[in-house]
């Protein structure tokens, strides 16, 4: 990744940002996160259902931790898309509201949008759903610090 | 899962572990905490959670920093185990909301967390959690979380 600027075309942006799911971020890869769509300031990331992610063995419902990771990853990517390049960022805070229990056996999809950036801070919101955006599992709000000089 | 003495339900396992303090039986019964290497320990009479370092927890391979999501997972797990093991709640608490503050980057080493129940009502519990590595006075992340304990 010698060039930190993202290509103009959508396919190129998707391919470059996907490196954060396949190569650069081991924990994204360990959970099987996949970047499936990119917009001007929006990232869509899928977390496939897997038995090792279950938090309640009696119901098969996925734990909260993988959902936090999914949201954090999607939010970071949306900031790169908004700014058109890779830059060092750190998560300052993340608030997640769980709107309904996730259904077992079904993938979770996070759609994150970076709706505002300042010189130092990026503001992001995200929704997590299981196929129907009108019936979300979780909503989230995060702030990130741009750590470049 | 070949444990023939395994209790029939999670609730009965929780009741047993509260008495025997064999925390490993509970954290191994939950697939995600087993995968993440999150365990419960009694250190100097205090119940703590430990997330044992593994390379799969890394979020930035250039800086070798833990993924923020793994710290969120540890903090939330510590809150749930505090409620399960230190109160008499009968089922796995359902998280309503979780707010995480990331204070310092997580180094590639074991991370600890301690939860404090700030209020426990009949239906809702408020929990505050802190996570640290070498120095407890320099936390790397903190959280406050709301849990639903029971249906009306």
């Amino acid at each position: 990744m010698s060039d930190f600027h993202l290509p103009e075309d959508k396919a190129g942006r998707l391919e470059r940002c996907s490196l954060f799911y396949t190569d650069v971020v081991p924990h994204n890869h360990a959970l099987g996160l996949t970047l499936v769509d990119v917009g001007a300031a929006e990232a869509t990331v899928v977390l496939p259902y897997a038995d090792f992610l279950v938090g309640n063995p009696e119901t098969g419902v996925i734990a909260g931790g993988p959902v936090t990771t999914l949201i954090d990853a999607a939010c970071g990517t949306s900031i790169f898309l908004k700014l058109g390049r890779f830059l060092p960022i750190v998560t300052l805070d993340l608030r997640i509201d769980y709107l309904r229990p996730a259904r077992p056996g079904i993938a979770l999809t996070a759609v994150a949008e970076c709706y505002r950036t300042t010189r130092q801070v990026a503001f992001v919101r995200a929704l997590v759903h299981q196929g129907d955006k009108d019936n979300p599992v979780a909503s989230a709000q995060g702030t990130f610090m741009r750590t470049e000089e | 899962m070949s444990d023939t003495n395994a209790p029939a339900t999670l609730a009965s396992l929780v009741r047993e572990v509260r008495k025997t303090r064999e925390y490993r039986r509970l954290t191994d019964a939950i697939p995600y905490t087993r995968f993440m290497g999150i365990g419960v320990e009694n250190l100097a009479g205090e119940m703590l959670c430990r997330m044992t370092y593994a390379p799969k927890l890394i979020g930035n391979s250039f800086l070798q920093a833990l993924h923020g999501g793994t710290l969120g997972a540890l903090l939330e797990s510590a809150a749930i185990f505090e409620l399960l093991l230190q109160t008499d709640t009968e089922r796995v608490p359902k998280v309503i909301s979780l707010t995480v503050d990331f204070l310092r980057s997580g180094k590639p080493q074991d991370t600890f967390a301690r939860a404090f129940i700030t209020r426990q009502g009949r239906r809702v519990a408020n929990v505050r959690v802190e996570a640290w590595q070498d120095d407890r006075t320099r936390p790397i992340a903190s959280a406050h979380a709301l849990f639903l304990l029971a249906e009306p």
Side-chain angles (χ1 to χ4, degrees):
Chain A
M1 289 202 303
S2 50
D3 178 12
F4 292 98
H5 284 84
L6 291 173
E8 293 291 324
D9 65 301
K10 183 169 169 157
R13 288 157 72 90
L14 180 66
E15 189 188 339
R16 292 297 297 283
C17 289
S18 289
L19 287 173
F20 281 82
Y21 297 85
T22 54
D23 287 81
V24 186
V25 184
H27 194 60
N28 286 349
H29 186 63
L31 295 193
L33 295 187
T34 310
L35 180 68
V36 295
D37 197 18
V38 294
E42 195 177 275
T44 304
V45 180
V46 170
L47 170 69
Y49 183 85
D51 290 339
F52 69 89
L53 300 178
V54 167
N56 185 335
E58 285 177 347
T59 59
V61 171
I62 194 171
V67 182
T68 305
T69 302
L70 168 69
I71 291 168
D72 190 42
C75 287
T77 303
S78 76
I79 297 167
F80 299 148
L81 290 162
K82 168 96 172 172
L83 296 172
R85 61 197 168 90
F86 296 133
L87 69 165
I89 51 171
V90 294
T91 314
L92 287 177
D93 80 342
L94 197 58
R95 179 197 164 103
I96 303 170
D97 289 326
Y98 285 90
L99 308 173
R100 68 166 177 85
R103 279 191 293 275
I106 304 172
L108 288 163
T109 301
V111 183
E113 183 206 3
C114 176
Y115 61 93
R116 168 84 181 150
T117 53
T118 66
R119 271 191 309 121
Q120 296 194 83
V121 181
F123 300 87
V124 185
R125 55 189 162 223
L127 268 185
V128 178
H129 65 83
Q130 289 184 299
D132 178 5
K133 282 185 183 176
D134 294 328
N135 187 20
V137 171
S139 69
Q141 169 79 45
T143 52
F144 292 72
M145 187 85 190
R146 299 168 60 171
T147 56
E148 65 195 338
E149 285 306 311
Chain B
M1 295 295 166
S2 58
D3 184 358
T4 47
N5 298 319
T9 65
L10 201 64
S12 53
L13 176 60
V14 166
R15 276 195 296 272
E16 272 187 32
V17 170
R18 277 177 196 156
K19 281 187 236 144
T20 65
R21 296 190 173 182
E22 296 170 286
Y23 301 126
R24 187 71 186 266
R25 291 181 66 202
L26 177 61
T27 54
D28 274 359
I30 299 171
Y32 181 66
T33 48
R34 196 174 51 206
F35 167 73
M36 294 292 287
I38 294 174
V40 175
E41 297 176 10
N42 241 305
L43 292 174
E46 186 180 40
M47 204 183 84
L48 301 179
C49 266
R50 180 202 292 260
M51 181 166 70
T52 302
Y53 172 71
K56 70 182 175 195
L57 302 179
I58 290 292
N60 185 322
S61 38
F62 300 119
L63 303 177
Q64 284 295 304
L66 295 179
H67 198 297
T70 68
L71 298 176
L74 171 65
L75 292 162
E76 185 177 334
S77 300
I80 290 172
F81 288 128
E82 185 75 16
L83 288 167
L84 276 178
L85 296 170
Q86 305 288 359
T87 76
D88 54 8
T89 181
E90 277 294 310
R91 51 164 232 195
V92 179
K94 275 188 197 164
V95 60
I96 303 168
S97 76
L98 172 76
T99 307
V100 182
D101 284 323
F102 297 92
L103 308 172
R104 293 178 176 85
S105 83
K107 293 176 282 189
Q109 61 189 60
D110 290 5
T111 311
F112 299 88
R114 167 81 155 95
F116 302 88
I117 299 169
T118 46
R119 177 185 175 273
Q120 188 186 353
R122 216 160 36 82
R123 286 160 64 179
V124 172
N126 303 53
V127 188
R128 188 170 60 77
V129 199
E130 286 203 335
W132 68 94
Q133 293 185 319
D134 308 303
D135 182 352
R136 194 167 176 169
T137 65
R138 290 171 58 83
I140 63 167
S142 67
H144 60 94
L146 289 175
F147 291 92
L148 202 57
L149 301 174
E151 307 290 350

